[in-house]
Amino acid sequence: MNLLQNFPIGQYVPGHSFIHRLDPRCKLLYVLIFAVLVFMANDGLSYAILALFTLLIMKGSSISYRYILRGLKPVWFLLALTFLLHVLMTKGGTVYLAWGWLTVEAEGVRQAVFISVRLALLALFSSLLTLTTSPLELADGLERLLHPLSRVGVPVHEIALMLTIALRFIPTLLDETDKIIKAQASRGIDFETGGLWKRLRNLVAIVVPLFVSAFRRAEELALAMEARGYRGGEGRTKLRQLRFTWRDLLAFGIALILFAVIGWVRR
Amino acid sequence: MESAPLIQFENVSFYYTDEFGEKLPVLQNLNLTIAEGEFVTIIGHNGSGKSTLAKLMNALLLPAEGEVRVGPWKTGATQEVWKIRQMVGLVFQNPDNQIVGSTVEDDVAFGLENIGVPPAEMRERIDAALKAVGMAAYAQRQPHKLSGGQKQRTAIAGIIAMRPRVLILDEATAMLDPQGRKEIMELVRRLNREAGITVINISHFPEEAVDADRVVVMRQGKIFMQGTPRNVFADVTRLQETGLDVPLAVRIQHYLSANGVPIPPLLHQKELVEELCRLFLNR
């Protein structure tokens, strides 16, 4: 059960690269900007430019390519499926292959390649965000970016606080899960063998005590927070101040250039 | 200690209501005065009402009957709950369930953020508080990587950063190992002596009471005994009748003198050892 001890929170890789040191707000916005760019691109050249740009960012994050690609594991299946569907379903142009009613046509291949590149780039780019930004910074950045929404009644401060508290308690609850598993195993519950149904039923013996204790923790935490003068987001100051620097300015400058280039190159 | 009362309980009663709507009395007609600068230890059984006492002191609970006065305010009749909570800090039993921040310094900042301290000043206060509890080297650590004693010291730093006048420990050492317990007791004793913070230590370890200015013994929602540790623990029989433990040294002294060994009343293990050695040498 050492797996639980080393459970990675998010997939953040600490570092001091240019990308790491960008303001989290800048990085969050950049993911949006990049998504727009990816959807603007519609031919080989514009995709190539964006791919090159992503490669540059990967290089700039000084995280190994292999590690970054490993983080994309869950996306591979989706990519393959999208590719296959587009190849088979989109019609038009020269017919390359025909097998009964299944045909592979030129337009289909083109679409399949473009759409999967699009998806891959988006997945890669957003994983770069979580790889280079600590969850705490992300929560802070989100709170600040979404702050205007609090005027229309969105509980932005509460959501951000929930996020940070959840992050704070993940290791605590993992430790606890570990303890419960050992305690139940020592009482004879077998988690390792048996059919799926039996194993699922045995999980109840972990989940129930875990929930009970989580609720107790929540209650005590709420009391402790109140005792320390917590009364919602109003009038609250923050220790962590986010500051835009020349780095962020440079990053936004590059974004503008990219917009111009893609707008010019695309068909 | 001859100074103005900082916290005053006047005829305070408190009830919890159970699931059948029955009132369960927790505190009955309680009177208690805490003076500025005092170090008071409150001992008693589970359910004797000692934790309720703590929560009444910083307006987490309000008295059902009677009055609790904290500084210039009455807790039941004031809008200044936040000022009361800034003035009276509370450290709870479970270190894991009172740390909010993802790092030590974020947690110390939490209370300061709540009371709206400007960020620049916050920095100074956090550094000073962490230094005072000996946790300055751990500012960037994640709380789950700390020992129990370190977690409680972090919690105490979070409170003294708010510059309270009273620090209440609500069984804050109950979940710690002996080493952690010693660390915390030494720390609060120093805060009391050097920073002049009034300390109220609620505990069920009688050993923690021997160095207090005053011991308050709670039993069934009432104050059963109170006085200097020497006076309170002198009455070993009465304490033990109620099932309360007394410090080991006191117990041994009591048994020995009851069995004809001439040892004067004492409190500390060290005194006991010295007395026994003296007896042994003068045999």
Side-chain angles (χ1 to χ4, degrees):
Chain A
M1 286 302 148
N2 278 328
L3 186 142
L4 291 179
Q5 303 284 318
N6 304 318
F7 189 84
I9 302 172
Q11 18 161 229
Y12 174 57
V13 182
H16 294 283
S17 72
F18 182 85
I19 310 292
H20 277 93
R21 285 155 81 175
L22 285 172
D23 188 289
R25 286 173 295 179
C26 169
K27 285 190 262 191
L28 279 161
L29 286 175
Y30 232 86
V31 172
L32 281 180
I33 291 173
F34 191 77
V36 173
L37 282 169
V38 164
F39 281 100
M40 272 170 69
N42 59 1
D43 65 344
L45 186 56
S46 46
Y47 277 120
I49 293 172
L50 290 179
L52 195 73
F53 179 64
T54 312
L55 212 67
L56 269 172
I57 303 272
M58 281 164 74
K59 185 112 186 102
S61 71
S62 56
I63 298 171
S64 80
Y65 295 133
R66 189 188 285 172
Y67 189 84
I68 297 174
L69 289 176
R70 210 168 46 191
L72 286 184
K73 236 185 220 164
V75 192
W76 284 125
F77 174 73
L78 198 66
L79 277 179
L81 191 74
T82 332
F83 188 84
L84 207 68
L85 280 177
H86 275 284
V87 161
L88 296 176
M89 298 302 170
T90 311
K91 309 293 180 198
T94 336
V95 179
Y96 293 137
L97 271 173
W99 193 56
W101 55 273
L102 283 175
T103 53
V104 176
E105 300 175 17
E107 190 59 28
V109 174
R110 209 183 87 90
Q111 277 288 334
V113 171
F114 279 0
I115 300 285
S116 10
V117 167
R118 209 174 252 184
L119 260 178
L121 283 179
L122 281 178
L124 208 58
F125 209 80
S126 39
S127 81
L128 276 167
L129 169 73
T130 50
L131 280 165
T132 60
T133 320
S134 78
L136 212 59
E137 275 182 301
L138 267 182
D140 260 359
L142 265 179
E143 179 174 6
R144 295 290 292 272
L145 275 182
L146 298 180
H147 186 73
L149 287 182
S150 59
R151 278 201 208 113
V152 293
V154 180
V156 176
H157 162 73
E158 282 77 6
I159 292 172
L161 188 72
M162 266 165 57
L163 264 174
T164 45
I165 289 179
L167 289 169
R168 143 81 184 85
F169 274 91
I170 285 171
T172 309
L173 290 177
L174 282 174
D175 271 357
E176 180 125 44
T177 314
D178 198 28
K179 261 186 223 155
I180 294 173
I181 288 176
K182 280 178 183 145
Q184 299 289 33
S186 73
R187 285 167 177 76
I189 292 188
D190 178 8
F191 296 109
E192 322 258 298
T193 60
L196 186 66
W197 176 239
K198 188 172 161 256
R199 283 204 214 182
L200 273 179
R201 245 189 10 215
N202 283 346
L203 271 187
V204 173
I206 301 173
V207 173
V208 171
L210 193 63
F211 262 79
V212 171
S213 110
F215 278 114
R216 187 173 308 132
R217 282 181 194 282
E219 207 179 329
E220 278 181 35
L221 185 73
L223 200 65
M225 284 169 63
E226 233 186 297
R228 288 168 74 183
Y230 179 71
R231 51 181 146 162
E234 228 164 284
R236 226 168 164 261
T237 46
K238 297 218 83 178
L239 170 67
R240 288 163 186 277
Q241 297 290 312
L242 297 177
R243 228 169 260 116
F244 282 122
T245 61
W246 60 270
R247 287 190 187 83
D248 305 289
L249 213 63
L250 183 63
F252 284 126
I254 293 172
L256 274 182
I257 295 171
L258 267 179
F259 264 115
V261 169
I262 297 291
W264 183 55
V265 161
R266 76 194 283 259
R267 280 187 302 168
Chain B
M1 292 280 154
E2 284 303 316
S3 32
L6 198 52
I7 297 180
Q8 203 162 15
F9 280 60
E10 242 169 63
N11 295 317
V12 172
S13 297
F14 189 83
Y15 312 92
Y16 281 116
T17 314
D18 69 5
E19 59 259 53
F20 308 110
E22 299 269 325
K23 276 184 173 181
L24 305 171
V26 186
L27 295 178
Q28 296 169 36
N29 279 321
L30 191 115
N31 290 294
L32 178 69
T33 307
I34 310 274
E36 178 118 50
E38 245 190 321
F39 192 121
V40 181
T41 298
I42 300 178
I43 56 175
H45 271 303
N46 290 336
S48 61
K50 54 194 197 312
S51 275
T52 308
L53 209 59
K55 291 183 188 119
L56 283 164
M57 287 179 190
N58 82 341
L60 279 177
L61 296 176
L62 301 175
E65 287 156 30
E67 262 173 23
V68 177
R69 234 174 279 142
V70 178
W73 304 290
K74 278 183 211 164
T75 61
T78 175
Q79 302 301 308
E80 310 287 2
V81 193
W82 312 110
K83 289 193 181 150
I84 293 177
R85 289 185 188 158
Q86 185 267 316
M87 193 169 113
V88 182
L90 192 47
V91 181
F92 293 90
Q93 178 176 21
N94 190 328
D96 278 323
N97 298 351
Q98 56 183 316
I99 294 182
V100 189
S102 303
T103 66
V104 167
E105 64 173 18
D106 276 304
D107 187 65
V108 178
F110 180 75
L112 299 176
E113 294 177 331
N114 289 338
I115 56 174
V117 175
E121 189 189 336
M122 223 187 268
R123 190 75 266 165
E124 285 167 33
R125 285 214 206 175
I126 292 169
D127 293 342
L130 284 176
K131 211 173 142 207
V133 302
M135 289 289 288
Y138 298 88
Q140 307 291 336
R141 286 294 179 91
Q142 295 182 325
H144 69 103
K145 299 211 166 126
L146 303 175
S147 73
Q150 288 171 332
K151 283 182 203 166
Q152 286 302 54
R153 281 195 277 160
T154 304
I156 292 175
I159 282 165
I160 60 174
M162 293 172 80
R163 307 209 171 124
R165 282 158 75 186
V166 186
L167 177 64
I168 305 176
L169 307 177
D170 185 3
E171 307 237 17
T173 60
M175 294 178 79
L176 303 183
D177 55 17
Q179 179 57 36
R181 207 177 300 155
K182 212 177 115 200
E183 278 172 28
I184 298 300
M185 288 320 292
E186 272 166 16
L187 171 63
V188 291
R189 226 167 274 139
R190 208 183 66 226
L191 289 172
N192 175 252
R193 254 195 335 262
E194 288 168 15
I197 297 177
T198 308
V199 175
I200 301 169
N201 180 31
I202 294 171
S203 176
H204 57 235
F205 294 111
E207 256 80 11
E208 286 179 9
V210 295
D211 288 322
D213 294 325
R214 176 152 59 115
V215 183
V216 176
V217 184
M218 294 283 298
R219 192 188 175 212
Q220 293 172 351
K222 288 178 182 152
I223 292 178
F224 180 62
M225 288 166 85
Q226 72 173 311
T228 61
R230 213 163 278 275
N231 287 336
V232 168
F233 289 124
D235 210 343
V236 177
T237 352
R238 192 158 166 231
L239 276 173
Q240 283 185 332
E241 264 169 30
T242 70
L244 271 170
D245 212 358
V246 295
L248 180 70
V250 176
R251 202 162 57 214
I252 292 176
Q253 181 273 335
H254 180 71
Y255 284 136
L256 287 178
S257 60
N259 287 295
V261 183
I263 297 186
L266 43 73
L267 283 173
H268 296 271
Q269 216 144 310
K270 219 173 118 197
E271 294 176 82
L272 178 71
V273 173
E274 277 167 17
E275 288 296 335
L276 287 175
C277 289
R278 187 169 305 141
L279 271 178
F280 181 73
L281 292 174
N282 299 341
R283 197 164 36 136

